[in-house]
């Protein structure tokens, strides 16, 4: 299927103030802020464009923000590559490089200690369940035909319910959603920090077999492609 948006996105990868840089900045700003990053949109732009850090941040916040920039590039560079155990572990290892999680030996490996989604009573997978549940998820997803936003919502919910890593599951999950939207020529929905409560509530209200709360939430978000169509539609 023709995907002009993706073609222009790839063509502008090395250009500043381009479609690629705008999507990268917007996605990283919101996804990281949801997880507590203190980078403002201006401070993030300086970091991405000039490698300059301004403001007061923890070392982990700085390192994870830098790392997330590389993970974004990896997501775009590996479009078409199937999500697998090695793919997930490489993403997580890159995201957590040189952070506290990395120093504790938890980067790039599935969780060894039971964890939870803070602020909820949702029961997530136990460590021994992670690999088989992910295998089931991969098999289901790659047997789908004509993938839709509803399918991506289901994948995201099931991934977060597995919660495969000790930390960083939300960010990895949102990176995977971006990958899936780009690969399937779908509206680009960026989970925004100012709708964080709605996002978390949609996850809380969803359940296995009922993904409509999360799907409905995603559909209410603006389509990045429409917001910035002057950067690609008539090029």
């Amino acid at each position: 299927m023709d995907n002009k948006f993706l073609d222009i996105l790839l063509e502008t990868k090395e250009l500043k103030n381009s479609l690629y840089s705008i999507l990268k900045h917007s996605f990283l700003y919101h996804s990281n802020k949801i997880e507590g990053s203190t980078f403002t949109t201006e401070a993030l732009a300086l970091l991405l464009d000039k490698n300059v850090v301004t403001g007061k941040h923890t070392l982990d916040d700085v390192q994870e923000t830098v790392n997330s920039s590389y993970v974004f590039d990896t997501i775009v560079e590996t479009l078409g590559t199937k999500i697998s155990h090695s793919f997930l572990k490489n993403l997580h290892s890159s995201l957590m490089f040189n952070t506290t999680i990395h120093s504790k030996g938890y980067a790039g490996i599935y969780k060894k200690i039971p964890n939870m989604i803070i602020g909820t009573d949702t029961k997530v997978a136990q460590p021994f369940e992670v690999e088989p549940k992910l295998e089931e998820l991969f098999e289901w997803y790659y047997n789908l035909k004509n993938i839709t936003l509803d399918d991506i919502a289901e994948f995201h919910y099931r991934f977060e319910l597995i919660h495969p890593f000790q930390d960083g599951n939300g960010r990895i999950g949102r990176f995977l959603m971006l990958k899936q939207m780009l690969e399937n020529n779908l509206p680009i929905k960026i989970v925004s920090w100012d709708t964080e409560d709605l996002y978390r509530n949609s996850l809380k209200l969803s359940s296995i077999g009922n993904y409509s709360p999360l799907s409905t939430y995603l559909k209410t978000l603006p389509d990045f492609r429409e917001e910035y169509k002057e950067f690609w539609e008539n090029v």
Side-chain angles (χ1 to χ4, degrees):
M1 183 183 294
D2 180 59
N3 191 340
K4 186 175 183 181
F5 174 85
L6 182 56
D7 290 341
I8 301 300
L9 187 72
L10 294 172
E11 286 178 19
T12 58
K13 185 175 183 295
E14 305 300 328
L15 302 177
K16 289 185 178 181
N17 305 313
S18 64
L19 184 68
Y20 186 93
S21 63
I22 295 168
L23 177 60
K24 183 176 187 177
H25 176 276
S26 183
F27 179 86
L28 295 182
Y29 173 69
H30 288 287
S31 188
N32 290 342
K33 194 171 179 66
I34 287 171
E35 303 303 328
S37 175
T38 55
F39 275 82
T40 64
T41 184
E42 295 83 7
L44 178 61
L46 274 174
L47 179 62
L48 295 179
D49 294 342
K50 310 234 180 237
N51 292 321
V52 172
V53 176
T54 59
K56 293 182 179 180
H57 317 282
T58 64
L59 288 175
D60 272 358
D61 189 11
V62 174
Q63 188 64 59
E64 288 174 16
T65 303
V66 171
N67 293 346
S68 68
S69 174
Y70 292 118
V71 175
F72 182 94
D73 292 341
T74 298
I75 287 294
V76 176
E77 289 165 3
T78 58
L79 290 175
T81 299
K82 284 189 174 183
I83 301 167
S84 63
H85 294 299
S86 60
F87 184 84
L88 285 180
K89 290 176 180 179
N90 285 337
L91 287 186
H92 191 260
S93 181
S94 296
L95 182 64
M96 295 301 174
F97 179 70
N98 270 352
T99 66
T100 301
I101 287 292
H102 180 264
S103 68
K104 290 180 178 178
Y106 296 141
I109 64 168
Y110 293 144
K111 62 187 176 185
K112 302 292 186 182
I113 303 168
N115 58 1
M116 64 180 295
I117 303 174
I118 299 298
T120 76
D121 55 3
T122 303
K123 185 178 180 181
V124 301
Q126 292 294 304
F128 70 89
E129 297 177 296
V130 168
E131 289 208 24
K133 283 183 177 292
L134 283 174
E135 286 284 356
E136 183 182 352
L137 181 57
F138 299 156
E139 183 178 4
W140 165 78
Y141 181 75
Y142 285 109
N143 279 321
L144 292 172
K145 306 296 182 186
N146 301 317
I147 291 168
T148 66
L149 277 176
D150 291 334
D151 298 322
I152 292 173
E154 178 174 347
F155 185 100
H156 186 66
Y157 178 79
R158 290 172 63 180
F159 178 83
E160 295 305 327
L161 205 60
I162 297 169
H163 234 56
F165 299 105
Q166 214 65 60
D167 189 28
N169 295 287
R171 279 167 290 181
I172 294 295
R174 290 187 291 277
F175 271 121
L176 295 180
M177 278 204 293
L178 177 64
K179 169 183 170 67
Q180 293 166 327
M181 291 170 188
L182 289 170
E183 287 177 338
N184 293 286
N185 199 13
L186 291 169
I188 306 301
K189 305 288 191 167
I190 297 176
V191 177
S192 56
W193 75 269
D194 51 326
T195 64
E196 176 186 353
D197 289 345
L198 294 174
Y199 167 57
R200 294 192 186 281
N201 195 50
S202 72
L203 286 168
K204 184 177 180 180
L205 293 174
S206 297
S207 59
I208 294 298
N210 176 27
Y211 312 100
S212 60
L214 179 58
S215 181
T216 298
Y217 162 77
L218 290 176
K219 290 173 183 177
T220 66
L221 297 172
D223 180 1
F224 178 90
R225 301 179 310 177
E226 286 297 312
E227 288 188 301
Y228 293 94
K229 60 184 179 181
E230 70 271 21
F231 283 81
W232 65 276
E233 196 171 56
N234 298 312
V235 176

